[in-house]
Amino acid sequence: MEIRRIGVLGAGTMGNGIAHVFARSGYSVVLCDVEQRFLDRGLDTIAKNLARETSKGKITVEQEKESYQRITPVLDRAKLTDCDFIVEAATEKFEIKTEIFRDLDRVARPEVILASNTSSISITKLAAITKRPDKVIGMHFFNPVPVMKLVEVIRGLATSQATYDAVRDLAQKLEKMPVEVNDAPGFVSNRVLMPLLNEAMYTVMEGVATPEAVDEVFKLGMAHPMGPLTLADFIGLDVCLDIMRVMQEGLGDPKYRPCPLLIKMVDAGWLGRKSGRGFYKY
Ligand SMILES: NC(=O)c1ccc[n+]([C@@H]2O[C@H](COP(=O)([O-])OP(=O)(O)OC[C@H]3O[C@@H](n4cnc5c(N)ncnc54)[C@H](O)[C@@H]3O)[C@@H](O)[C@H]2O)c1
């Protein structure tokens, strides 16, 4: 089956980026979210990011216009029924993803691959909810999606070779670099990255250093392009907390305990860049 029409669930930070890169590569995209305002916000971000690419000479004005026009926003999930491939990028909550995968299994044709952009939730568990576990896979993009090259492709226990091959090829068509990993909480990227960000938060909480000082240490001493607290604000502190909780539960080791300061900040609604306040003010 030729993949031409892509369904994307969730028009947030990642979903709008995923819709952007598929549309830019010539695919038609059906972008689905639960409220019109989330779709509007996602489309607005896509328009701005495409315009930025045009101004930098990465795409032509024509490509900018055509890419945007390839995206159809929808609220009704039933409209994903004619999609050839669906990638879910909804909120990082197991209950939300469970409901989505159960429903997508009903809505999508039996041969359609269902991918998740989850940062940490078990692909094997999501697959087991469906009647097509061999066609469920992790397709983990990185933020900002139009810029970052990596796609971590995660094989669940039942994921077939054909499904893996199809997703690897799709990632390459998007001019991304697929890297294969097996299913485990946090996969590779977040298993290694999140404890670093979490530990940086502990140093702030314990008064070891200011957020600015922690970030300078990593930029100047380790040549990181941005410090861990700037990065945490960029990812979203709620997303960081959700991932730490999944790893704490899934791996059972106390080293994955989320920093109490992180919990407090999320409780306060300080979610980082997207809410205007995190370790920094925006
Ligand atoms: N933020 C990152 O840097 C990053 C990086 C890689 C992967 N991820 C993963 O991508 C996914 C999305 O994260 P995000 O940062 O874009 O979150 P976000 O909060 O920016 O966006 C999530 C979107 O999903 C929508 N949504 C919630 N329930 C839905 C449903 N039932 N159907 C359709 N849409 C629904 C929300 O309305 C929202 O617009 C998560 O699984 C996250 O772990 C995030």
Side-chain angles (χ1 to χ4, degrees):
M1 178 194 55
E2 200 195 339
I3 294 176
R4 293 162 67 159
R5 199 170 171 78
I6 310 289
V8 180
L9 265 110
T13 311
M14 297 305 288
N16 74 59
I18 295 168
H20 174 140
V21 294
F22 273 109
R24 192 178 63 188
S25 295
Y27 294 92
S28 75
V29 176
V30 183
L31 179 61
C32 178
D33 207 308
V34 286
E35 286 186 39
Q36 188 59 42
R37 64 193 170 107
F38 299 139
L39 286 173
D40 292 344
R41 196 176 54 189
L43 287 172
D44 197 41
T45 305
I46 294 170
K48 282 193 190 124
N49 289 342
L50 282 169
R52 187 177 311 123
E53 288 178 340
T54 308
S55 68
K56 286 186 177 167
K58 288 187 179 162
I59 54 172
T60 62
V61 175
E62 187 85 325
Q63 285 169 322
E64 175 190 338
K65 219 167 91 190
E66 284 172 3
S67 302
Y68 189 77
Q69 283 168 352
R70 285 191 195 106
I71 303 171
T72 310
V74 301
L75 286 172
D76 181 5
R77 219 180 274 164
K79 299 213 169 110
L80 297 170
T81 186
D82 56 351
C83 289
D84 309 314
F85 177 82
I86 300 181
V87 52
E88 167 278 318
T91 313
E92 185 79 346
K93 289 268 184 294
F94 185 64
E95 319 80 69
I96 291 180
K97 303 221 190 253
T98 314
E99 188 276 323
I100 290 176
F101 270 77
R102 192 169 290 128
D103 199 36
L104 286 181
D105 195 32
R106 191 181 57 78
V107 168
R109 296 192 309 275
E111 68 274 22
V112 169
I113 295 173
L114 306 178
S116 176
N117 183 55
T118 178
S119 304
S120 58
I121 291 172
S122 165
I123 299 301
T124 305
K125 272 193 194 167
L126 291 177
I129 290 160
T130 72
K131 294 190 187 76
R132 62 182 92 191
D134 57 316
K135 295 192 183 65
V136 175
I137 192 163
M139 190 177 193
H140 187 202
F141 290 86
F142 288 75
N143 187 15
V145 182
V147 177
M148 300 302 274
K149 280 275 169 219
L150 175 64
V151 176
E152 209 178 16
V153 183
I154 301 117
R155 282 175 182 270
L157 193 59
T159 308
S160 70
Q161 186 61 39
T163 298
Y164 174 78
D165 292 346
V167 173
R168 180 203 54 208
D169 293 352
L170 258 187
Q172 284 167 346
K173 286 196 179 124
L174 300 177
E175 293 174 24
K176 304 283 180 202
M177 294 293 293
V179 175
E180 178 182 355
V181 309
N182 286 320
D183 192 18
F187 316 130
V188 171
S189 50
N190 285 313
R191 170 92 170 255
V192 179
L193 175 66
M194 283 300 156
L196 168 70
L197 306 192
N198 199 50
E199 200 61 28
M201 294 170 197
Y202 271 109
T203 63
V204 172
M205 187 182 81
E206 291 170 7
V208 179
T210 62
E212 289 82 358
V214 174
D215 281 349
E216 285 301 292
V217 166
F218 279 85
K219 281 196 291 183
L220 302 177
M222 287 80 176
H224 286 199
M226 66 172 84
L229 299 165
T230 304
L231 180 57
D233 274 359
F234 187 65
I235 293 170
L237 299 185
D238 51 340
V239 176
C240 293
L241 179 57
D242 287 340
I243 298 170
M244 285 307 295
R245 285 194 162 134
V246 167
M247 296 202 298
Q248 185 185 31
E249 201 186 305
L251 296 162
D253 191 314
K255 73 180 174 187
Y256 300 108
R257 183 171 79 103
C259 174
L261 176 60
L262 172 63
I263 298 172
K264 211 186 263 181
M265 289 174 77
V266 171
D267 284 347
W270 298 1
L271 308 181
R273 194 174 274 274
K274 64 183 164 190
S275 72
R277 181 151 192 189
F279 285 92
Y280 298 94
K281 285 188 181 158
Y282 300 91

